[in-house]
Amino acid sequence: LRLIEAGRVRTIIVRDLSRFARNYLEAGHYLEFVFPAYGVRFISVNDNYDSARYGETTGGLELAVKNLINQLYSKDLSRKIKSAVDLKKMNGEYVYGTAPYGYKKGEKKNTIVIDTNVSWVVKSIFEWAASGITITAIARKLNDLGIMTPSVYLAPVRGKYKTRAFWTFESVRNILANRIYTGDTVPFKSHVVRVGSDRVKQVPEEEQIIIPNTHEAIISREL
């Protein structure tokens, strides 16, 4: 929008209207008000739409209906994809992106296996905590030993991701609070309020579903 207001955009070309905006209200606002106000030409190739042909009418009801249908189709597709992913989660498949520190992606699709390069660090953290060492002291111990932090270690896999050079209270606590190291998976710790929304709601711990024995454990449940 800033580029449009600055007069640096004269024409916008998209494959179709579904690739242009997130919902029909947003699309209509740009097509009906913003683009005409700044003299921006808009072309949607697959919809055979060119604002230069329509002048001030902008396509009227036909264009509005197309935008609405695109939004409804997108939401329906999102629901189907979410249902398919949720089913995989309930089956114990790992469909969560990068494997957590201590694990790596397995050769079989949607599985994780123990990463022996750092799994001993995870086990040591639990053993130290069980022996009475505080989380802060554990973080200090890891830094004194020069052990690479999870964010730095996983950086080659994650790509552009914020890294921290030193172990902190939070980084150690996150490992101690993660049930995945017992071989269990908690698939739904949070969920979006509704399909298409950016709002995420945390699921209370007592309501979370636990799927046991989905992968090899690094520590025992007792530990």
Side-chain angles (χ1 to χ4, degrees), residues 24-87:
Y24 76 101
L25 291 176
E26 184 180 29
H29 174 69
Y30 275 91
L31 293 172
E32 296 281 349
F33 300 103
V34 177
F35 293 160
Y38 290 97
V40 176
R41 181 183 180 185
F42 181 80
I43 299 172
S44 177
V45 178
N46 289 349
D47 296 298
N48 194 30
Y49 175 81
D50 184 347
S51 62
R53 290 204 311 264
Y54 287 89
E56 296 182 359
T57 64
T58 65
L61 181 62
E62 180 183 355
L63 194 66
V65 170
K66 279 186 178 181
N67 284 324
L68 178 58
I69 290 174
N70 287 336
Q71 179 181 338
L72 294 175
Y73 174 76
S74 178
K75 282 189 174 182
D76 182 59
L77 184 61
S78 295
R79 289 191 189 95
K80 290 176 180 176
I81 292 173
K82 183 180 183 302
S83 295
V85 173
D86 287 352
L87 182 60

Side-chain angles (χ1 to χ4, degrees), residues 197-217:
S197 172
D198 293 328
R199 290 184 58 197
V200 177
K201 184 177 181 181
Q202 298 299 317
V203 177
E205 189 172 348
E206 63 273 12
E207 297 178 13
Q208 293 176 3
I209 299 170
I210 298 170
I211 305 176
N213 305 318
T214 57
H215 53 276
E216 188 177 355

Side-chain angles (χ1 to χ4, degrees), residues 103-146:
Y103 288 98
K104 61 183 179 180
K105 291 292 186 70
E107 292 184 4
K108 184 179 178 182
K109 188 177 180 180
N110 297 338
T111 63
I112 55 174
V113 296
I114 291 176
D115 183 353
T116 54
N117 291 325
V118 292
S119 59
W120 65 271
V121 179
V122 173
K123 191 170 184 180
S124 296
I125 289 172
F126 277 91
E127 289 174 345
W128 292 335
S131 69
I133 301 177
T134 65
I135 293 177
T136 300
I138 291 174
R140 187 181 303 116
K141 188 180 183 73
L142 292 167
N143 288 323
D144 290 342
L145 292 172

